[in-house]
């Protein structure tokens, strides 16, 4: 039997805790062919070139093997989400959603949520009182971004057990190790259909009784380009709900794990909250929650790094390997929040650059600052911790942490609750 390719070894769960030596091997051949016929790109310059290349599509209906897979994409009865569309449709949907998320139309939405972020984080840490051990994932890193994305969209937090099941099904279906392309696509679309139906019904109630949340604004929008159709709203609200928490959980958990492995940086963050900005950027480079993107397809023959990627071939962009490319950053395997140059691929690049980055950044900055500040003498219980199965959306399933005590929240120490928010905002 032929030995497994490097990329197949990366997919193998036994390498989940530390795939980075395999990424270094992968980079020796910037564009390689995986066992399933897809082209794997692992060096920074080549990934950036393809992220910006209009001959590279995010619409999987362009795959040569799409017809074989059957019309699974249509199984939900919903249009593709904008992450899986090319221009001009992608750009129209992204513009309509951005109107209710950020500048220029809505510059205050995310900035205005910062006090909420501090309040949610403080409340979750307050709940650790009387304990010396927590699971950072279940007790903190998961409930925090879920609460935030629910508030942003206007989804009742108590419905989490319902949408958790559908979100899990989507995440499992995008894991390339869980079955063939057709089966995974069908499973993913079924989960999106159920989640979309739930969000569509919620949005209908907001049309008559709008609040100040994103769903209400989207169903009542009278902007120059009109509104999203009901189906577009269902499918893209489902994308925001899932993308809005699944990745952030891993950034916070990978972040705390990395800080506990680098106690000098943890100590500095404790005293110097504005270091959080650099810490989070370095984490997005060093331990990124999205390790690779397997959602690209060549629209033409593409010559790159001495290889021709044929039209219709699936392409995998290994963002985590690119961000540690020594031809791009010096000492790439060192966790160094002080590095001056830090262009990373943690949020992707080009037209699909992460929509939620302006929210994910302050979420992680506030979470890690407050954990550093309030957990006294925190320690890892196991290293490495148990990982989730998914090789792409990679992060620990549990992260047990022990500590001696919980320091009081900023307000309880006689400080304005918004101090952290102000420090981070002005840093
Ligand atoms: C640490 C947290 C996050 C990370 C590491 C992350 C990473 C990424 C990456 C790598 C992409 C590029 C996908 C591609 O090119 O196919 C992306 C796109 C996207 N992200 Fe995030 N994300 C995070 C948080 C969020 C949040 C909080 C939201 C929602 C509020 C969000 C919504 C999206 C959406 C909608 C897209 C698709 C954008 C497009 O196709 O134009 N993400 N994200």
């Amino acid at each position: 039997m032929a030995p497994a390719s490097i990329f197949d070894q990366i997919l193998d769960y036994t390498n989940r805790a530390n795939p980075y030596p395999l990424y270094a091997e992968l980079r020796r051949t910037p564009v390689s062919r995986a066992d399933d016929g897809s082209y794997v790109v692992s060096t920074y310059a080549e990934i950036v070139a393809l992220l910006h290349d209009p001959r590279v599509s995010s619409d999987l209906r362009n795959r040569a093997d799409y017809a074989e897979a059957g019309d699974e994409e249509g199984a939900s009865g919903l249009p593709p989400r904008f992450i899986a569309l090319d221009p001009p449709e992608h750009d129209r949907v992204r513009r309509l959603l951005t109107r209710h998320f950020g500048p220029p139309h809505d510059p205050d939405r995310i900035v205005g949520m910062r006090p909420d972020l501090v309040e949610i984080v403080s409340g979750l840490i307050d709940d650790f009182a009387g304990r010396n051990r927590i699971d950072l994932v279940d007790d903190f890193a998961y409930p925090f971004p879920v609460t935030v994305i629910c508030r942003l969209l206007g989804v009742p937090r108590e419905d989490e057990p319902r949408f958790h099941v559908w979100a899990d099904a989507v995440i499992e279906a995008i894991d390339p190790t869980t079955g063939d392309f057709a089966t995974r696509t069908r499973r993913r679309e079924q989960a999106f259909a159920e989640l979309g139906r739930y969000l569509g019904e919620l949005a209908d109630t907001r049309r008559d009784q709008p609040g100040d949340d994103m769903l209400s604004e989207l169903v009542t929008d009278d902007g120059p380009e009109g509104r999203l159709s009901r189906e577009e709203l269902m499918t893209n609200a489902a994308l925001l709900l899932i993308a809005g928490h699944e990745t952030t959980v891993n950034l916070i958990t990978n972040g705390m794990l990395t800080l506990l492995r680098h106690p000098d940086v943890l100590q500095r963050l404790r005293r110097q909250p504005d270091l959080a900005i650099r810490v989070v950027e370095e984490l997005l480079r060093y331990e990124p929650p999205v390790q690779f993107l397997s959602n690209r397809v060549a629209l033409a023959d593409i010559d790159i790094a001495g290889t021709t990627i044929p039209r219709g071939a699936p392409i995998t962009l290994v963002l985590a390997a690119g961000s540690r490319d020594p031809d791009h950053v010096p000492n790439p395997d060192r966790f160094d929040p002080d590095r001056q140059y830090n262009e990373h691929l943690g949020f992707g690049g080009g037209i699909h650059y992460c929509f939620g980055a302006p929210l994910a950044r302050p979420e992680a900055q506030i979470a890690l600052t407050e954990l550093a500040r309030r957990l006294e003498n925190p320690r890892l219980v196991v290293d490495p911790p148990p990982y989730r199965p998914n090789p792409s959306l990679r992060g620990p399933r549990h992260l047990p942490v022990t500590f001696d005590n919980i320091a009081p929240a900023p307000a309880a120490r006689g400080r304005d609750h918004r101090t952290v928010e102000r420090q981070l905002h002005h840093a």
Side-chain angles (χ1 to χ4, degrees):
M1 204 170 82
S5 70
I6 308 285
F7 192 65
D8 275 285
Q9 293 178 52
I10 290 165
L11 299 183
D12 189 333
Y13 184 73
T14 53
N15 292 312
R16 198 68 74 247
N18 184 14
Y20 297 102
L22 288 168
Y23 289 145
E25 270 188 66
L26 198 61
R27 278 191 304 265
R28 284 197 213 146
T29 312
V31 181
S32 58
R33 195 150 183 266
D35 299 347
D36 68 354
S38 61
Y39 285 75
V40 178
V41 186
S42 54
T43 40
Y44 184 86
E46 280 68 28
I47 295 172
V48 169
L50 294 179
L51 281 170
H52 290 86
D53 192 327
R55 296 171 301 171
V56 175
S57 168
S58 287
D59 188 337
L60 294 179
R61 292 172 297 186
N62 291 312
R63 270 174 70 144
D65 59 356
Y66 182 75
E68 281 164 41
D71 189 23
E72 310 300 0
E73 191 81 24
S76 63
L78 295 173
R81 294 149 290 279
F82 74 111
I83 196 170
L85 287 174
D86 296 332
E89 293 80 9
H90 163 271
D91 305 2
R92 180 183 64 85
V93 175
R94 186 162 171 142
R95 274 197 307 275
L96 285 171
L97 291 168
T98 302
R99 277 173 56 74
H100 306 289
F101 185 73
H105 187 71
D106 203 345
D108 297 329
R109 159 100 49 205
I110 300 303
V111 177
M113 281 191 83
R114 282 173 171 261
D116 289 25
L117 303 186
V118 177
E119 178 209 304
I120 300 164
V121 161
S122 299
L124 287 167
I125 301 180
D126 288 345
D127 289 345
F128 301 165
R131 299 166 65 184
N132 294 101
R133 178 179 167 143
I134 51 158
D135 174 8
L136 193 88
V137 178
D138 288 346
D139 295 328
F140 184 84
Y142 179 77
F144 170 44
V146 169
T147 307
V148 174
I149 197 70
C150 283
R151 271 197 205 177
L152 176 78
L153 289 173
V155 170
R157 178 66 174 82
E158 56 277 15
D159 284 356
E160 188 268 347
R162 285 178 76 190
F163 67 71
H164 188 120
V165 179
W166 302 317
D168 272 357
V170 168
I171 298 300
E172 196 188 319
I174 54 181
D175 177 342
T177 63
T178 56
D180 61 35
F181 176 57
T183 313
R184 288 189 286 115
T185 306
R186 188 171 50 249
R187 280 205 216 115
R188 189 192 63 211
E189 289 309 307
Q190 279 162 358
F192 264 113
E194 297 193 55
L195 185 51
R197 202 173 306 123
Y198 160 76
L199 288 165
E201 283 165 15
L202 201 59
D204 292 340
T205 65
R206 297 296 148 76
R207 196 172 289 114
D208 302 328
Q209 286 183 306
D212 59 1
D213 52 81
M214 247 182 110
L215 275 185
S216 296
E217 291 193 4
L218 286 165
V219 284
T220 54
D221 190 5
D222 287 316
E225 288 186 280
R227 285 180 203 161
L228 292 169
S229 70
R230 189 171 186 277
E231 288 73 25
E232 285 174 331
L233 178 73
M234 287 160 69
T235 200
N236 287 296
L239 169 64
L240 289 180
L241 185 63
I242 294 179
H245 69 273
E246 287 293 345
T247 42
T248 314
V249 177
N250 291 336
L251 181 56
I252 294 170
T253 313
N254 292 340
M256 200 55 195
L257 175 61
T258 305
L259 289 171
L260 288 166
R261 286 172 174 169
H262 296 83
D264 50 324
V265 182
L266 184 63
Q267 276 308 320
R268 280 177 63 200
L269 182 60
R270 217 178 148 91
R271 292 189 306 268
Q272 201 190 323
D274 58 352
L275 187 66
I277 291 165
R278 286 178 167 282
V279 166
V280 168
E281 291 315 301
E282 178 66 344
L283 285 169
L284 285 159
R285 185 195 72 78
Y286 179 83
E287 277 283 25
V290 180
Q291 299 262 305
F292 53 84
L293 300 172
S294 317
N295 60 352
R296 297 300 202 271
V297 52
L299 292 178
D301 290 357
I302 300 174
D303 294 324
I304 184 155
T307 300
T308 302
I309 303 179
R311 176 166 176 241
I315 304 174
T316 296
L317 303 174
V318 190
L319 305 176
S323 290
R324 287 198 187 204
D325 184 342
D327 288 340
H328 173 61
V329 278
N331 294 321
D333 293 325
R334 210 172 125 213
F335 175 64
D336 178 10
D338 296 315
R339 64 174 70 241
Q340 287 309 305
Y341 177 81
N342 189 2
E343 288 286 321
H344 59 72
L345 298 170
F347 286 127
I351 62 163
H352 293 280
Y353 183 84
C354 179
F355 177 88
L359 174 63
R361 283 191 163 107
E363 281 183 304
Q365 290 160 5
I366 291 169
L368 294 174
T369 308
E370 283 301 279
L371 287 168
R373 203 205 292 265
R374 296 190 60 197
L375 295 191
E376 290 180 357
N377 191 20
R379 298 163 313 268
L380 283 174
V381 177
V382 279
D383 192 6
Y387 274 77
R388 293 171 192 274
N390 198 311
S392 170
L393 302 181
R394 172 179 165 270
R397 172 61 194 93
H398 297 289
L399 187 67
V401 174
T402 53
F403 46 87
D404 296 343
N405 226 328
I406 295 296
R413 290 199 301 261
R415 298 170 52 189
D416 184 314
H417 222 72
R418 266 159 277 193
T419 306
V420 183
E421 176 256 315
R422 256 192 254 110
Q423 277 166 333
L424 286 171
H425 192 48
H426 296 297

